[in-house]
Amino acid sequence: MKDEQTIENTEENTPQEDMVNEAAQAESTEAQEAAVNDTETAGAETLASTEELDRLKALAEENEKRYLRAQADFDNFRRRTQKEKEDLAKYASMKLITELVPVIDNFERAIATAPANTESDSFAKGVGMIFRQLESVLQAEGLTAMQTVGEAFNPEFHQAIMQVESEEHEEGIVVEEVQKGYMLKDKVLRPAMVKVSM
């Protein structure tokens, strides 16, 4: 009989129990809906965070490329500046020597036209000594005269002012030097004016 009462009690709920059960069911349904919403939100957040991560990776790669380009540009600038400094030191006297080359030409002309008498002989020797001294100073700075006669014509070193017929030389050979050419270290300071065989 007690068993029958228990069964009857469980089947019939009081209004308060019904309200509690309904509230529990409502909470359970809300919890399920919240869980579904949380899952959807988490999925959207994961998608958003993946997109944000991809964007940040692309930005990092772009910044790294910019950094590498800037580093390469700086290295090139440093090398170029170093070479310019070396060239400046190497050719610092170039302007002065360029202005002295016509003086050398005039010395050579004066020595070549010196009269051959005993009175001016000592004067010519003195001028020759001064000329050799000037030449040695300029050679110490890197100035050298070009050897042109008998060489093949090269427009980098020679300036042809005339073509002449020559039986001694084949075509394209420098046969006469009209004005000396000079090199300053490894640069052409002044090309030689020459006559070339044809």
Side-chain angles (χ1 to χ4, degrees):
M1 190 95 154
K2 284 184 183 178
D3 290 335
E4 289 177 9
Q5 271 183 338
T6 308
I7 292 173
E8 287 176 12
N9 284 343
T10 55
E11 289 177 6
E12 292 180 23
N13 290 336
T14 62
Q16 292 173 343
E17 289 176 342
D18 285 338
M19 285 175 52
V20 169
N21 286 340
E22 285 177 13
Q25 281 181 343
E27 283 179 15
S28 173
T29 305
E30 287 176 8
Q32 288 175 350
E33 288 176 2
V36 168
N37 286 341
D38 287 347
T39 304
E40 288 175 0
T41 305
E45 287 176 0
T46 303
L47 183 61
S49 66
T50 303
E51 290 173 358
E52 180 70 10
L53 183 62
D54 290 343
R55 187 184 70 78
L56 292 175
K57 281 182 182 177
L59 184 62
E61 287 175 7
E62 183 181 336
N63 286 337
E64 182 180 13
K65 287 178 184 175
R66 282 184 185 169
Y67 166 75
L68 292 174
R69 272 194 302 269
Q71 186 69 33
D73 288 345
F74 178 73
D75 288 344
N76 290 339
F77 170 76
R78 187 175 40 80
R79 278 191 224 107
R80 188 172 53 249
T81 304
Q82 182 66 28
K83 183 166 180 358
E84 287 172 0
K85 283 181 184 178
E86 289 171 0
D87 285 349
L88 183 63
K90 189 174 181 181
Y91 300 107
S93 58
M94 186 172 188
K95 185 174 187 281
L96 176 63
I97 292 174
T98 303
E99 292 175 6
L100 287 176
V101 166
V103 175
I104 294 172
D105 292 340
N106 290 333
F107 260 114
E108 288 177 339
R109 286 185 198 110
I111 292 170
T113 59
N117 61 31
T118 55
E119 292 176 8
S120 62
D121 196 31
S122 61
F123 178 74
K125 282 184 182 178
V127 170
M129 289 172 57
I130 294 169
F131 175 66
R132 282 190 297 279
Q133 184 180 13
L134 177 62
E135 269 189 327
S136 66
V137 168
L138 294 174
Q139 283 174 356
E141 286 295 315
L143 183 72
T144 54
M146 292 182 193
Q147 300 300 320
T148 57
V149 177
E151 300 288 320
F153 175 75
N154 184 343
E156 292 180 14
F157 302 108
H158 308 134
Q159 180 179 354
I161 58 168
M162 183 183 281
Q163 281 190 320
V164 294
E165 291 185 18
S166 173
E167 294 178 7
E168 297 174 23
H169 302 286
E170 57 188 61
E171 186 177 344
I173 302 296
V174 175
V175 293
E176 185 181 338
E177 183 178 65
V178 178
Q179 184 181 48
K180 270 190 179 181
Y182 290 95
M183 300 281 293
L184 181 61
K185 297 180 180 165
D186 55 353
K187 274 189 176 182
V188 175
L189 187 67
R190 181 177 80 182
M193 286 187 184
V194 295
K195 294 180 182 179
V196 183
S197 63
M198 59 179 201

